[in-house]
Amino acid sequence: MGTIKLQNIRTFSYHGCLIEESKIGSDYSVNLEVKTDLRKSALSDKLADTVDYVLLNSIVNEEMAIRSNLLEHVAQRIIKRIFLEIPEVSRILLSVSKLNPPIGGDVEAVTIQMEEFRT
């Protein structure tokens, strides 16, 4: 087994429960970690034998572009899509952070983290 990590994927998205958030948007950071078998690609040196991190990045960006009220909702969509489109992934650890959230305090980020295993 092995791990592929995409760290600090930056997006500008419109998630949140406040009407203002749907209009002005915010900066987000996503960290994604997937477990998969890397032995074949380590020997073959072929992209077809591994999980393409370009595809992982595309899935994250496409789902982050679809508005949600909650970070949990967009995170679940990302997880569901990765499992659907990439059968080689056995586990996903995903965190989605809203940077400088409008919560009435000096807070750098609010982060949710979800972990799911293929069933």
Side-chain angles (χ1 to χ4, degrees):
M1 292 302 282
T3 304
I4 297 174
K5 296 180 182 182
L6 280 73
Q7 298 174 311
N8 201 24
I9 303 168
R10 308 275 276 178
T11 70
F12 189 84
S13 304
Y14 296 88
H15 308 299
C17 294
L18 302 175
I19 294 171
E20 296 80 17
E21 293 175 297
S22 69
K23 294 178 182 175
I24 62 172
S26 297
D27 289 309
Y28 292 81
S29 175
V30 177
N31 289 298
L32 174 64
E33 181 178 302
V34 299
K35 288 278 188 193
T36 189
D37 190 344
L38 297 176
R39 293 174 289 190
K40 186 175 180 182
S41 60
L43 293 173
S44 73
D45 196 29
K46 293 182 180 172
L47 180 60
D49 293 333
T50 193
V51 173
D52 185 354
Y53 51 80
V54 172
L55 176 56
L56 290 171
N57 186 59
S58 292
I59 290 171
V60 168
N61 279 289
E62 288 169 14
E63 293 302 324
M64 288 297 291
I66 301 168
R67 186 184 179 321
S68 291
N69 287 330
L70 301 177
L71 298 180
E72 295 90 323
H73 188 260
V74 69
Q76 187 60 47
R77 285 200 323 265
I78 293 168
I79 290 169
K80 183 178 177 183
R81 226 178 116 193
I82 291 170
F83 279 143
L84 181 67
E85 294 184 26
I86 310 172
E88 298 82 13
V89 171
S90 61
R91 174 187 157 267
I92 300 170
L93 180 62
L94 176 72
S95 64
V96 179
S97 300
K98 180 183 286 194
L99 308 179
N100 301 310
I103 60 173
D106 187 11
V107 178
E108 182 178 330
V110 172
T111 302
I112 64 97
Q113 183 171 322
M114 297 175 73
E115 180 177 24
E116 301 236 358
F117 296 84
R118 184 177 294 281
T119 53

